[in-house]
Amino acid sequence: SGDVGPGGAITVGYTLQHTGGFGESLHNVAIFTHTSGIGSASTGVRILGAPLLTGTLSATTLTPAEGGLVTVTVVFSNTGESDATGVRVHAPGFGLDETLARLGPGETATRTVVLSTVDGPGTVTGSLTLSSTETGPLTSGPLALAVQNVPPVIHVGGSGSAVVGQPYRIVLGTVTDPGDDTVSQWIVDW
């Protein structure tokens, strides 16, 4: 209350507690009295739109060799107008489960996971699910990695020369395989 002279202004501050949805518009009306009667002024307020989460999965290769490494990259963004809070990034097939406190409008985050591939041939598949306090779950993917088989290797040793009519000795060393292959027999082809 009080008097305001010609050309003067009053600033009124208040806290808006809106219980409706994202993207709605509200209209505020101020009513005032003056010496020649009652007047009013109005203004509108637009509640910002909801957060919108998007995400992608990619890998350094879709056909890794067994026993090798492959990097899976997860990129997720908030392309909406409001903060997303309690953002859960869930890609269990690739060992990723993380919750971010906040992802603001226009923000993008990246996570990388380095995987040691399994025995081939085989497939490793994973999807990405994003959710937040303000949004339901969004799933992208799946991303499938076709793991290629790598045959076992054996080290063969022996002398660099042989004498005609004399036995020649070769040494079959340790068999190694980056996966779980089992060698059941050795065949030496001369």
Side-chain angles (χ1 to χ4, degrees):
S1 81
D3 294 330
V4 178
I10 296 176
T11 301
V12 177
Y14 63 96
T15 301
L16 176 64
Q17 293 185 354
H18 176 62
T19 57
F22 289 103
E24 292 182 355
S25 294
L26 302 175
H27 295 283
N28 300 302
V29 177
I31 299 173
F32 55 91
T33 59
H34 51 85
T35 56
S36 49
I38 297 177
S40 67
S42 66
T43 184
V45 175
R46 183 179 164 282
I47 306 301
L48 294 176
L52 178 60
L53 300 176
T54 61
T56 59
L57 290 166
S58 63
T60 50
T61 179
L62 296 178
T63 56
E66 70 179 354
L69 299 177
V70 61
T71 300
V72 174
T73 302
V74 178
V75 179
F76 50 100
S77 303
N78 177 0
T79 59
E81 295 181 320
S82 297
D83 285 351
T85 59
V87 178
R88 183 171 184 210
V89 182
H90 188 63
F94 301 121
L96 181 63
D97 191 8
E98 178 181 355
T99 301
L100 285 76
R102 176 191 163 281
L103 188 64
E107 289 184 346
T108 296
T110 302
R111 299 293 183 267
T112 55
V113 179
V114 178
L115 304 173
S116 178
T117 57
V118 296
D119 189 41
T123 303
V124 176
T125 302
S127 295
L128 169 65
T129 301
L130 298 170
S131 61
S132 73
T133 304
E134 299 78 15
T135 64
L138 165 80
T139 300
S140 64
L143 177 68
L145 305 176
V147 180
Q148 305 300 302
N149 187 43
V150 175
V153 176
I154 185 170
H155 177 73
V156 178
S159 173
S161 60
V163 177
V164 175
Q166 297 292 317
Y168 179 77
R169 180 175 180 218
I170 61 170
V171 177
L172 302 177
T174 304
V175 175
T176 58
D177 183 74
D180 295 336
D181 294 343
T182 302
V183 175
S184 59
Q185 69 179 12
W186 296 344
I187 297 173
V188 179
D189 185 6
W190 288 94

